């Protein structure tokens, strides 16, 4: 949905009122930047900004209805639209004339683009003003991106920096850097700088420049252990230790990966598909995809026995004063134990 709105903005199809809602700040910032870029008379210095926690809505409306001086249309950002969420009125510092806003939304100014920002997880859908925004404004819901939407965003972000990236390599980048748009944007900027803003991103470049998330290395570690590949398991384990990971934390992450396998396997048997499982378990769809495509996952009984042994190892690590690294290493060197 957000990609379709961005495309319209890029094509110059700009509406008078926008509502940006949700907790993904990177999408909010990107939408505003796209509006600035699409309005030739506007730059970052000429954007008019209001904080609705400090300023009444009447000031925004007055500014919107005032004819612009040099521009064809002015761009106004009204942040923190608290009147759209269920709030404790006793804590509100400003009283907004919401009735005036309702009237204005019926006939907004043709010489201004007003962007209301409500950076909240949920709005109060019972309120008349919320329903009116849904009818009269272009609503951009900035929920965290997943699946194809996320890889598409990565490709667009790369293109905006002069480089290209395939869907497969975009997915590799997400796998290594995680699904935070802020982190991904930073990594793409680093890759673009390395490539001097030109060319196609390869898997080799991603592997060389992007630090792998500990969770994904733990996935590789767990997978190697499950398949009985002791040398690979020990190699990954030592790499993680050299990167500063602690055995206690690794034990917790491995146990979490085992529990995820158990939950995914259980939901697959109930007929859930990948996106449903990811939403139900509140994890990234790619992690679910990797588990569902892994044909070598042990039986539920073995997974539960491994989980029980990890609990024992966790107790050992927290009660021993010796070389903790060795405790977990012994576990990895005996992958068939517990069968």
């Amino acid at each position: 949905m957000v990609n379709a709105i961005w495309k319209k903005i890029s094509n110059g199809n700009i509406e008078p009122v926008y509502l940006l809602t949700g907790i993904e700040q990177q999408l909010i910032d990107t939408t505003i930047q796209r509006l600035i870029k699409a309005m030739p008379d506007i730059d970052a210095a000429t954007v008019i900004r209001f904080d609705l926690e400090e300023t009444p809505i009447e000031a925004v409306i007055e500014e919107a209805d005032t004819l612009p001086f040099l521009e064809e249309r002015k761009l106004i950002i009204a942040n923190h639209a608290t009147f759209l969420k269920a709030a404790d009125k006793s804590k509100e510092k400003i009283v907004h004339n919401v009735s005036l806003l309702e009237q204005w939304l019926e006939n907004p100014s043709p010489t201004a683009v007003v962007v209301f920002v409500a950076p909240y997880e949920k709005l109060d859908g019972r309120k008349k003003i919320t329903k009116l925004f849904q009818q009269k404004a272009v609503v951009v819901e900035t929920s965290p991106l997943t699946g194809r939407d996320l890889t598409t965003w990565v490709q667009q972000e790369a293109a905006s920096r002069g480089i290209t990236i395939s869907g497969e390599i975009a997915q590799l980048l997400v796998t290594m850097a995680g699904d935070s748009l802020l982190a991904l944007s930073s990594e793409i900027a680093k890759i673009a700088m390395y490539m001097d803003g030109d060319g196609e991103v390869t898997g080799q470049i991603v592997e060389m420049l992007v630090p792998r998330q500990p969770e994904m290395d733990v996935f590789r570690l767990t997978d190697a252990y499950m398949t009985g590949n002791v040398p690979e398991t020990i190699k990954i384990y030592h790499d993680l230790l050299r990167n500063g990971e602690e055995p206690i934390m690794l034990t917790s992450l491995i146990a979490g990966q085992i529990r995820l396998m158990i939950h995914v396997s259980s939901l697959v048997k109930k007929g859930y598909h990948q996106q449903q499982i990811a939403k139900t378990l509140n994890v990234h769809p790619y992690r679910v995809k990797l588990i569902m495509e892994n044909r070598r996952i042990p039986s539920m009984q073995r997974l539960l026995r491994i989980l029980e042994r990890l609990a024992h190892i966790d107790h050992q690590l927290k009660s021993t004063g010796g070389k903790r690294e060795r405790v977990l290493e012994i576990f990895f060197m005996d992958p068939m134990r517990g069968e």
Side-chain angles (χ1 to χ4, degrees), residues 23-46:
I23 58 174
E24 189 55 79
Q25 188 62 44
Q26 188 73 15
L27 291 182
I28 291 174
D29 293 342
T30 301
T31 303
I32 292 172
Q33 289 303 317
R34 285 174 178 262
L35 281 167
I36 293 172
K37 186 176 180 180
M39 298 175 68
D41 297 332
I42 299 296
D43 58 34
T46 57

Side-chain angles (χ1 to χ4, degrees), residues 224-225 227-236 329 332-335:
Y225 171 77
T227 57
N229 189 341
V230 175
E232 180 67 9
T233 304
I234 299 301
K235 177 182 178 299
I236 298 171
E329 189 170 47
F332 290 138
M333 293 178 71
D334 188 11

Side-chain angles (χ1 to χ4, degrees), residues 223-224 226-227 293-299 302:
D223 188 56
M226 292 294 187
T227 57
E293 292 179 350
N294 190 344
R295 305 299 179 189
R296 300 174 296 184
I297 292 179
S299 67
R302 187 187 175 207

Side-chain angles (χ1 to χ4, degrees), residues 9 32 92 110 112 119 128 130 139 153 172 180 187 196 255 261 271 317 331:
I9 291 172
I32 292 172
E92 293 181 4
K128 179 182 176 181
T130 305
V139 180
W153 181 88
L172 173 64
S180 163
E187 295 300 335
D196 201 22
M261 289 180 179
L317 290 171
F331 166 75

Side-chain angles (χ1 to χ4, degrees), residues 13 45 102 163 183 215 313 322 325:
N13 186 4
E102 290 170 357
I163 57 177
E215 290 82 359
I313 289 172
E325 295 84 356

